[in-house]
Amino acid sequence: MKKLTLATLIILGVGLAMVVVGAVLDGIAWNTTSFDGAALATALTNIGYIASMLSGVVLTGTGIAYAIRSGSSCDCGDDCKCGCKDEEKKSKKD
């Protein structure tokens, strides 16, 4: 779970950096005789928006799953439904 969150945050940071770089490149006045960076700026900005949106969705889903998992209490008496008995056995051995 920690690796997924860290990877998602890295992708979010890269996506936002791409948006910033695209915005900076878009603000430059390009000559028509040389390389035109407007298309590159638009592409970087669009890819950055998509990467940021997707990583935001993953972070939201991970957060909701973690909140649901940690909020559930484990008071069942059945070993098959939850691992309460196994955890109690491990804690008694320690």
Side-chain angles (χ1 to χ4, degrees):
M1 182 79 132
K2 196 179 235 185
K3 288 181 183 179
L4 176 68
T5 305
L6 185 62
T8 307
L9 286 173
I10 290 171
I11 292 171
L12 179 65
V14 169
L16 291 176
M18 291 174 76
V19 170
V20 170
V21 169
V24 169
L25 288 177
D26 203 23
I28 296 173
W30 298 95
N31 292 335
T32 56
T33 57
S34 64
F35 173 72
D36 186 15
L40 176 65
T42 304
L44 279 175
T45 304
N46 289 339
I47 292 170
Y49 283 142
I50 292 169
S52 299
M53 180 202 53
L54 290 176
S55 54
V57 167
V58 170
L59 279 174
T60 304
T62 306
I64 290 171
Y66 184 74
I68 290 172
R69 187 185 70 168
S70 64
S72 65
S73 62
C74 191
D75 294 333
C76 62
D78 189 9
D79 260 347
C80 298
K81 290 184 180 176
C82 67
C84 291
K85 302 251 181 192
D86 292 334
E87 290 173 8
E88 289 173 5
K89 288 176 187 175
K90 287 180 185 176
S91 64
K92 288 180 183 177
K93 287 181 183 177
D94 293 336

XYZ file of all heavy atoms in Angstrom:
662
model
N 0.831 -1.187 0.000
C 0.000 0.000 0.000
C 0.874 1.248 0.000
O 0.565 2.213 -0.667
C -0.911 -0.055 1.230
C -1.857 1.077 1.331
S -3.241 0.839 0.252
C -4.578 1.185 1.316
N 1.979 1.183 0.748
C 2.867 2.335 0.837
C 3.545 2.603 -0.499
O 3.692 3.752 -0.912
C 3.905 2.080 1.925
C 4.633 3.294 2.389
C 5.609 2.927 3.486
C 5.329 3.764 4.700
N 6.315 3.523 5.757
N 3.946 1.528 -1.211
C 4.599 1.685 -2.507
C 3.634 2.264 -3.534
O 4.016 3.104 -4.340
C 5.137 0.345 -2.997
C 6.332 -0.148 -2.245
C 6.824 -1.459 -2.802
C 7.987 -1.992 -1.992
N 8.462 -3.273 -2.505
N 2.377 1.817 -3.506
C 1.381 2.331 -4.439
C 1.143 3.814 -4.209
O 1.091 4.598 -5.153
C 0.070 1.554 -4.291
C -1.093 2.044 -5.145
C -0.803 1.784 -6.612
C -2.380 1.371 -4.723
N 1.036 4.209 -2.953
C 0.813 5.616 -2.638
C 2.014 6.457 -3.041
O 1.850 7.538 -3.620
C 0.529 5.781 -1.131
O -0.564 4.931 -0.772
C 0.186 7.207 -0.790
N 3.213 5.977 -2.767
C 4.414 6.718 -3.121
C 4.550 6.844 -4.637
O 4.855 7.930 -5.154
C 5.649 6.036 -2.532
C 6.966 6.765 -2.726
C 6.932 8.127 -2.041
C 8.108 5.944 -2.176
N 4.307 5.762 -5.358
C 4.385 5.813 -6.821
C 3.344 6.762 -7.395
O 3.623 7.515 -8.335
C 4.207 4.414 -7.400
N 2.162 6.754 -6.818
C 1.103 7.641 -7.295
C 1.451 9.094 -7.028
O 1.208 9.962 -7.866
C -0.230 7.266 -6.627
O -0.470 5.873 -6.811
C -1.371 8.042 -7.210
N 2.024 9.375 -5.875
C 2.441 10.747 -5.574
C 3.555 11.214 -6.508
O 3.581 12.380 -6.919
C 2.892 10.859 -4.118
C 1.778 10.834 -3.082
C 2.353 10.790 -1.671
C 0.882 12.045 -3.243
N 4.461 10.317 -6.861
C 5.531 10.670 -7.797
C 4.939 10.984 -9.172
O 5.312 11.972 -9.811
C 6.578 9.543 -7.877
C 7.367 9.480 -6.569
C 7.517 9.744 -9.063
C 8.270 8.278 -6.440
N 4.002 10.152 -9.619
C 3.369 10.394 -10.918
C 2.577 11.701 -10.880
O 2.589 12.468 -11.856
C 2.463 9.205 -11.309
C 3.323 7.975 -11.580
C 1.609 9.530 -12.522
C 2.546 6.703 -11.768
N 1.925 11.988 -9.773
C 1.193 13.246 -9.630
C 2.155 14.431 -9.713
O 1.882 15.416 -10.393
C 0.429 13.270 -8.307
C -0.375 14.535 -8.005
C -1.492 14.700 -9.013
C -0.934 14.475 -6.597
N 3.293 14.324 -9.047
C 4.287 15.395 -9.092
C 4.835 15.595 -10.499
O 5.008 16.739 -10.949
N 5.109 14.507 -11.201
C 5.609 14.608 -12.577
C 4.542 15.220 -13.481
O 4.841 16.065 -14.332
C 6.058 13.222 -13.094
C 6.322 13.243 -14.586
C 7.295 12.762 -12.346
N 3.294 14.823 -13.289
C 2.201 15.379 -14.098
C 2.049 16.865 -13.890
O 1.895 17.628 -14.847
N 2.109 17.298 -12.631
C 2.000 18.732 -12.356
C 3.199 19.496 -12.895
O 3.067 20.621 -13.384
C 1.841 18.965 -10.857
C 0.511 18.492 -10.260
C 0.506 18.671 -8.758
C -0.648 19.230 -10.894
N 4.392 18.889 -12.835
C 5.578 19.524 -13.409
C 5.434 19.669 -14.922
O 5.839 20.686 -15.492
C 6.825 18.713 -13.061
N 4.846 18.663 -15.566
C 4.632 18.754 -17.008
C 3.657 19.876 -17.351
O 3.842 20.575 -18.358
C 4.121 17.420 -17.550
C 5.151 16.319 -17.524
S 4.488 14.726 -17.999
C 4.375 14.934 -19.754
N 2.643 20.066 -16.518
C 1.697 21.154 -16.748
C 2.411 22.498 -16.622
O 2.227 23.402 -17.449
C 0.516 21.059 -15.758
C -0.345 22.307 -15.805
C -0.325 19.832 -16.050
N 3.260 22.634 -15.602
C 3.988 23.893 -15.405
C 4.954 24.147 -16.557
O 5.016 25.265 -17.097
C 4.728 23.869 -14.048
C 5.679 25.035 -13.927
C 3.735 23.877 -12.905
N 5.699 23.127 -16.969
C 6.638 23.290 -18.086
C 5.881 23.631 -19.368
O 6.300 24.503 -20.141
C 7.500 22.020 -18.266
C 8.275 22.055 -19.570
C 8.448 21.868 -17.091
N 4.762 22.971 -19.589
C 3.952 23.276 -20.770
C 3.431 24.696 -20.752
O 3.416 25.381 -21.781
N 3.027 25.171 -19.578
C 2.544 26.549 -19.469
C 3.669 27.548 -19.721
O 3.461 28.583 -20.365
C 1.937 26.776 -18.090
N 4.863 27.257 -19.216
C 6.007 28.146 -19.455
C 6.360 28.170 -20.936
O 6.586 29.232 -21.530
C 7.218 27.709 -18.596
C 8.473 28.433 -19.029
C 6.940 27.967 -17.124
N 6.410 26.983 -21.558
C 6.725 26.929 -22.986
C 5.650 27.608 -23.829
O 5.940 28.186 -24.872
C 6.903 25.478 -23.441
C 8.167 24.764 -22.987
C 8.143 23.318 -23.451
C 9.401 25.467 -23.507
N 4.416 27.517 -23.374
C 3.320 28.136 -24.112
C 3.405 29.660 -24.032
O 2.946 30.361 -24.927
C 1.984 27.646 -23.566
C 0.868 27.787 -24.574
O 1.168 27.846 -25.785
O -0.305 27.829 -24.154
N 3.985 30.169 -22.962
C 4.110 31.619 -22.795
C 5.235 32.232 -23.596
O 5.330 33.453 -23.710
N 6.107 31.403 -24.162
C 7.222 31.922 -24.959
C 6.728 32.278 -26.358
O 5.940 31.544 -26.957
C 8.354 30.863 -25.051
C 8.931 30.588 -23.667
C 9.442 31.312 -26.011
C 9.935 29.452 -23.634
N 7.190 33.404 -26.872
C 6.848 33.791 -28.242
C 7.808 33.087 -29.190
O 9.006 33.352 -29.193
C 6.955 35.302 -28.396
N 7.278 32.155 -29.977
C 8.107 31.370 -30.889
C 8.113 32.013 -32.270
O 7.101 32.487 -32.748
C 7.562 29.947 -31.001
C 7.574 29.211 -29.713
C 6.548 29.098 -28.837
C 8.661 28.490 -29.148
N 6.920 28.352 -27.755
C 8.222 27.969 -27.915
C 9.960 28.241 -29.560
C 9.028 27.205 -27.095
C 10.769 27.477 -28.740
C 10.306 26.973 -27.532
N 9.286 32.006 -32.933
C 9.381 32.468 -34.320
C 8.882 31.374 -35.234
O 9.039 30.190 -34.959
C 10.832 32.798 -34.686
C 11.336 34.006 -33.940
O 10.545 34.849 -33.526
N 12.647 34.096 -33.785
N 8.316 31.766 -36.329
C 7.845 30.760 -37.284
C 8.992 30.184 -38.107
O 8.834 29.127 -38.705
C 6.789 31.376 -38.228
O 7.354 32.522 -38.866
C 5.550 31.763 -37.458
N 10.140 30.862 -38.135
C 11.271 30.353 -38.911
C 12.026 29.256 -38.175
O 12.671 28.427 -38.794
C 12.249 31.487 -39.244
O 12.681 32.090 -38.026
C 11.584 32.534 -40.125
N 11.960 29.249 -36.864
C 12.663 28.227 -36.086
C 11.667 27.212 -35.538
O 10.513 27.188 -35.932
C 13.443 28.897 -34.951
O 12.558 29.524 -34.057
N 12.122 26.412 -34.613
C 11.262 25.380 -34.012
C 10.074 26.010 -33.309
O 10.219 26.947 -32.524
C 12.095 24.563 -33.012
C 11.282 23.588 -32.214
C 10.777 22.448 -32.807
C 11.023 23.822 -30.873
C 10.030 21.551 -32.073
C 10.277 22.925 -30.133
C 9.779 21.790 -30.735
N 8.914 25.517 -33.595
C 7.695 26.037 -32.974
C 7.343 25.154 -31.782
O 6.969 23.998 -31.956
C 6.548 26.045 -33.985
C 5.305 26.702 -33.428
O 5.406 27.398 -32.403
O 4.229 26.515 -34.020
N 7.478 25.686 -30.594
C 7.247 24.902 -29.383
C 5.829 24.924 -28.874
O 5.533 24.353 -27.827
N 4.927 25.592 -29.590
C 3.543 25.681 -29.131
C 2.877 24.311 -29.098
O 2.141 23.988 -28.158
C 2.755 26.644 -30.009
N 3.142 23.494 -30.110
C 2.548 22.150 -30.143
C 3.113 21.291 -29.020
O 2.379 20.527 -28.374
C 2.800 21.497 -31.489
N 4.416 21.420 -28.768
C 5.041 20.680 -27.664
C 4.461 21.128 -26.325
O 4.188 20.297 -25.447
C 6.557 20.889 -27.684
C 7.339 20.270 -26.539
C 7.241 18.746 -26.584
C 8.788 20.715 -26.584
N 4.272 22.420 -26.166
C 3.704 22.946 -24.916
C 2.294 22.424 -24.690
O 1.941 22.014 -23.585
C 3.710 24.473 -24.951
N 1.503 22.396 -25.743
C 0.135 21.878 -25.630
C 0.143 20.396 -25.293
O -0.632 19.934 -24.445
C -0.631 22.123 -26.944
O -0.598 23.511 -27.247
C -2.071 21.664 -26.833
N 1.024 19.641 -25.933
C 1.113 18.196 -25.660
C 1.558 17.938 -24.219
O 0.986 17.080 -23.534
C 2.070 17.535 -26.636
N 2.572 18.666 -23.759
C 3.039 18.494 -22.375
C 1.935 18.827 -21.375
O 1.738 18.113 -20.392
C 4.253 19.383 -22.109
C 5.598 18.868 -22.584
C 6.672 19.915 -22.353
C 5.964 17.581 -21.892
N 1.228 19.900 -21.633
C 0.151 20.299 -20.731
C -0.957 19.255 -20.700
O -1.445 18.884 -19.624
C -0.407 21.668 -21.150
O 0.662 22.603 -21.185
C -1.449 22.157 -20.173
N -1.347 18.761 -21.869
C -2.419 17.757 -21.924
C -2.008 16.457 -21.235
O -2.789 15.876 -20.478
C -2.809 17.477 -23.376
C -3.537 18.644 -23.992
O -4.087 19.487 -23.296
N -3.530 18.713 -25.306
N -0.778 15.999 -21.492
C -0.301 14.768 -20.848
C -0.202 14.974 -19.339
O -0.544 14.085 -18.555
C 1.062 14.344 -21.439
C 0.882 13.904 -22.888
C 1.678 13.214 -20.632
C 2.176 13.703 -23.634
N 0.241 16.147 -18.921
C 0.323 16.450 -17.486
C -1.036 16.436 -16.816
O -1.200 15.911 -15.715
N -2.030 17.013 -17.499
C -3.392 16.993 -16.946
C -3.908 15.563 -16.815
O -4.521 15.193 -15.807
C -4.354 17.793 -17.833
C -4.241 19.293 -17.689
C -4.366 20.109 -18.795
C -4.015 19.884 -16.458
C -4.273 21.487 -18.680
C -3.913 21.245 -16.333
C -4.046 22.046 -17.444
O -3.952 23.396 -17.334
N -3.666 14.744 -17.831
C -4.145 13.353 -17.807
C -3.449 12.568 -16.696
O -4.099 11.839 -15.936
C -3.939 12.692 -19.178
C -4.872 13.329 -20.207
C -4.178 11.195 -19.104
C -4.577 12.936 -21.636
N -2.125 12.725 -16.580
C -1.383 12.006 -15.530
C -1.830 12.458 -14.145
O -2.008 11.635 -13.243
C 0.121 12.228 -15.701
N -2.040 13.743 -13.962
C -2.491 14.252 -12.664
C -3.888 13.740 -12.326
O -4.152 13.351 -11.187
C -2.496 15.781 -12.671
O -1.219 16.275 -12.902
N -4.766 13.734 -13.319
C -6.127 13.261 -13.072
C -6.138 11.779 -12.705
O -6.786 11.375 -11.735
C -6.990 13.490 -14.303
C -8.423 13.029 -14.124
S -9.306 12.681 -15.638
C -8.250 11.554 -16.475
N -5.394 10.968 -13.459
C -5.385 9.534 -13.182
C -4.758 9.213 -11.828
O -5.263 8.371 -11.083
C -4.647 8.786 -14.296
C -5.361 8.738 -15.642
C -4.489 8.054 -16.679
C -6.698 8.042 -15.522
N -3.667 9.898 -11.495
C -3.058 9.634 -10.190
C -3.939 10.159 -9.061
O -3.965 9.573 -7.978
C -1.654 10.230 -10.106
O -1.680 11.597 -10.419
N -4.680 11.226 -9.301
C -5.639 11.692 -8.298
C -6.749 10.678 -8.070
O -7.172 10.453 -6.933
N -7.201 10.044 -9.132
C -8.230 8.998 -9.010
C -7.687 7.814 -8.214
O -8.365 7.274 -7.329
C -8.722 8.560 -10.409
C -9.542 7.288 -10.334
C -9.511 9.665 -11.065
N -6.442 7.429 -8.511
C -5.833 6.304 -7.789
C -5.647 6.649 -6.306
O -5.927 5.832 -5.424
C -4.489 5.897 -8.440
C -3.739 4.910 -7.580
C -4.732 5.319 -9.811
N -5.182 7.877 -6.023
C -5.024 8.285 -4.620
C -6.353 8.306 -3.882
O -6.438 7.882 -2.726
C -4.375 9.669 -4.543
C -2.871 9.725 -4.686
C -2.404 11.163 -4.744
C -2.194 8.999 -3.549
N -7.394 8.791 -4.550
C -8.721 8.812 -3.923
C -9.211 7.399 -3.651
O -9.704 7.103 -2.560
C -9.715 9.559 -4.819
O -9.214 10.866 -5.083
C -11.077 9.660 -4.175
N -9.082 6.519 -4.632
C -9.507 5.131 -4.445
C -8.721 4.425 -3.359
O -9.276 3.676 -2.554
N -7.405 4.673 -3.324
C -6.576 4.070 -2.278
C -6.963 4.582 -0.905
O -7.049 3.821 0.060
C -5.087 4.368 -2.551
O -4.769 3.941 -3.862
C -4.197 3.658 -1.567
N -7.208 5.887 -0.819
C -7.617 6.465 0.464
C -8.956 5.934 0.942
O -9.130 5.634 2.125
N -9.901 5.787 0.032
C -11.213 5.258 0.409
C -11.087 3.799 0.840
O -11.670 3.387 1.848
C -12.209 5.407 -0.763
C -12.545 6.881 -0.964
C -13.477 4.600 -0.521
C -13.343 7.161 -2.219
N -10.316 3.013 0.090
C -10.128 1.601 0.455
C -9.439 1.475 1.812
O -9.812 0.628 2.629
C -9.310 0.888 -0.612
N -8.455 2.318 2.063
C -7.752 2.282 3.349
C -8.680 2.697 4.486
O -8.656 2.101 5.559
C -6.529 3.194 3.301
C -5.703 3.148 4.555
C -4.907 2.054 4.846
C -5.739 4.196 5.471
C -4.158 1.996 5.996
C -4.992 4.154 6.624
C -4.204 3.057 6.891
O -3.467 3.007 8.032
N -9.510 3.716 4.251
C -10.442 4.163 5.286
C -11.475 3.093 5.605
O -11.815 2.870 6.768
C -11.135 5.444 4.837
N -11.954 2.413 4.582
C -12.939 1.351 4.808
C -12.290 0.176 5.523
O -12.856 -0.384 6.451
C -13.560 0.898 3.465
C -14.453 2.006 2.908
C -14.348 -0.387 3.632
C -14.953 1.741 1.511
N -11.082 -0.179 5.104
C -10.394 -1.328 5.708
C -10.027 -1.058 7.162
O -10.219 -1.898 8.024
C -9.138 -1.665 4.926
C -8.486 -2.948 5.400
C -7.206 -3.178 4.694
N -6.258 -2.172 5.171
C -4.980 -2.199 4.948
N -4.481 -3.141 4.213
N -4.178 -1.280 5.418
N -9.506 0.106 7.462
C -9.084 0.389 8.828
C -10.262 0.716 9.729
O -10.162 0.604 10.940
C -8.081 1.541 8.853
O -8.692 2.736 8.408
N -11.393 1.107 9.135
C -12.562 1.437 9.941
C -13.385 0.226 10.327
O -14.217 0.295 11.225
N -13.162 -0.892 9.685
C -13.963 -2.073 9.991
C -13.419 -2.749 11.246
O -12.226 -2.913 11.423
C -13.950 -3.051 8.813
O -12.649 -3.545 8.617
N -14.329 -3.119 12.119
C -13.909 -3.820 13.329
C -13.934 -5.315 13.070
O -14.715 -5.814 12.276
C -14.846 -3.477 14.487
O -16.157 -3.903 14.182
N -13.086 -6.021 13.762
C -12.948 -7.449 13.534
C -13.446 -8.184 14.778
O -12.659 -8.619 15.607
C -11.489 -7.768 13.235
S -11.238 -9.423 12.623
N -14.770 -8.288 14.909
C -15.361 -8.936 16.083
C -16.037 -10.248 15.732
O -16.820 -10.768 16.513
C -16.395 -7.997 16.732
C -15.743 -6.763 17.315
O -14.557 -6.844 17.688
O -16.410 -5.723 17.393
N -15.751 -10.781 14.564
C -16.432 -12.004 14.160
C -15.800 -13.209 14.860
O -14.639 -13.194 15.235
C -16.385 -12.170 12.647
S -14.729 -12.332 12.001
N -16.553 -14.251 14.989
C -16.052 -15.446 15.634
C -15.558 -16.480 14.645
O -15.061 -17.524 15.033
N -15.708 -16.210 13.375
C -15.345 -17.166 12.342
C -13.960 -16.853 11.790
O -13.669 -15.725 11.423
C -16.379 -17.100 11.207
C -16.190 -18.211 10.197
O -15.389 -19.125 10.457
O -16.848 -18.152 9.147
N -13.080 -17.858 11.762
C -11.726 -17.684 11.241
C -11.730 -17.369 9.752
O -10.857 -16.671 9.256
C -10.914 -18.963 11.450
C -10.012 -18.840 12.662
O -9.850 -17.719 13.160
O -9.473 -19.876 13.083
N -12.712 -17.902 9.031
C -12.718 -17.742 7.585
C -13.062 -16.325 7.159
O -12.628 -15.870 6.127
C -13.723 -18.702 6.948
S -13.297 -20.427 7.245
N -13.867 -15.610 7.952
C -14.299 -14.277 7.548
C -13.252 -13.219 7.828
O -13.089 -12.280 7.073
C -15.611 -13.915 8.245
C -16.781 -14.722 7.731
C -18.060 -14.273 8.353
C -19.228 -15.090 7.826
N -20.473 -14.748 8.487
N -12.581 -13.323 8.940
C -11.518 -12.355 9.235
C -10.434 -13.039 10.057
O -10.647 -14.078 10.643
C -12.055 -11.131 9.952
S -12.677 -11.434 11.596
N -9.294 -12.447 10.106
C -8.151 -13.086 10.733
C -7.979 -12.769 12.200
O -6.862 -12.721 12.692
N -9.074 -12.538 12.936
C -8.966 -12.181 14.353
C -8.291 -13.281 15.156
O -7.405 -13.016 15.962
C -10.341 -11.926 14.951
S -11.129 -10.442 14.344
N -8.714 -14.499 14.939
C -8.177 -15.607 15.725
C -6.683 -15.782 15.457
O -5.912 -16.031 16.370
C -8.922 -16.899 15.400
C -10.402 -16.821 15.654
C -10.777 -17.642 16.818
C -12.294 -17.519 16.998
N -12.730 -18.034 18.223
N -6.293 -15.646 14.178
C -4.878 -15.783 13.837
C -4.060 -14.684 14.500
O -2.970 -14.931 14.999
C -4.676 -15.735 12.322
C -5.274 -16.957 11.629
O -5.379 -18.013 12.289
O -5.639 -16.836 10.445
N -4.576 -13.449 14.498
C -3.851 -12.342 15.117
C -3.741 -12.544 16.619
O -2.717 -12.234 17.219
C -4.540 -11.018 14.801
C -4.411 -10.622 13.344
C -5.239 -9.410 13.000
O -5.803 -8.791 13.921
O -5.324 -9.071 11.807
N -4.815 -13.067 17.241
C -4.772 -13.322 18.681
C -3.764 -14.409 19.007
O -3.028 -14.321 19.984
C -6.161 -13.721 19.185
C -7.156 -12.569 19.193
C -8.560 -13.018 19.535
O -8.743 -14.208 19.868
O -9.457 -12.176 19.474
N -3.690 -15.441 18.160
C -2.725 -16.524 18.384
C -1.299 -15.999 18.263
O -0.436 -16.337 19.074
C -2.949 -17.646 17.377
C -4.203 -18.457 17.629
C -4.386 -19.497 16.522
C -5.722 -20.192 16.676
N -5.993 -21.113 15.554
N -1.048 -15.141 17.264
C 0.289 -14.578 17.102
C 0.667 -13.690 18.281
O 1.786 -13.716 18.746
C 0.362 -13.777 15.795
C 0.380 -14.639 14.568
C 0.446 -13.786 13.328
C 0.332 -14.625 12.079
N 0.301 -13.800 10.860
N -0.293 -12.902 18.763
C 0.026 -12.003 19.872
C 0.242 -12.780 21.179
O 1.030 -12.378 22.022
C -1.066 -10.960 20.045
O -2.285 -11.590 20.405
N -0.437 -13.905 21.341
C -0.231 -14.714 22.543
C 1.119 -15.405 22.530
O 1.729 -15.619 23.566
C -1.356 -15.751 22.681
C -2.677 -15.143 23.083
C -3.755 -16.202 23.196
C -5.092 -15.558 23.523
N -6.162 -16.540 23.566
N 1.601 -15.781 21.326
C 2.903 -16.421 21.225
C 4.027 -15.453 21.557
O 5.052 -15.844 22.077
C 3.116 -16.957 19.799
C 2.296 -18.182 19.503
C 2.562 -18.669 18.086
C 1.692 -19.866 17.747
N 1.887 -20.304 16.364
N 3.838 -14.173 21.238
C 4.890 -13.180 21.472
C 4.994 -12.803 22.896
O 4.940 -13.003 23.870
C 4.615 -11.901 20.670
C 4.741 -12.166 19.196
O 5.448 -13.117 18.823
O 4.128 -11.409 18.432
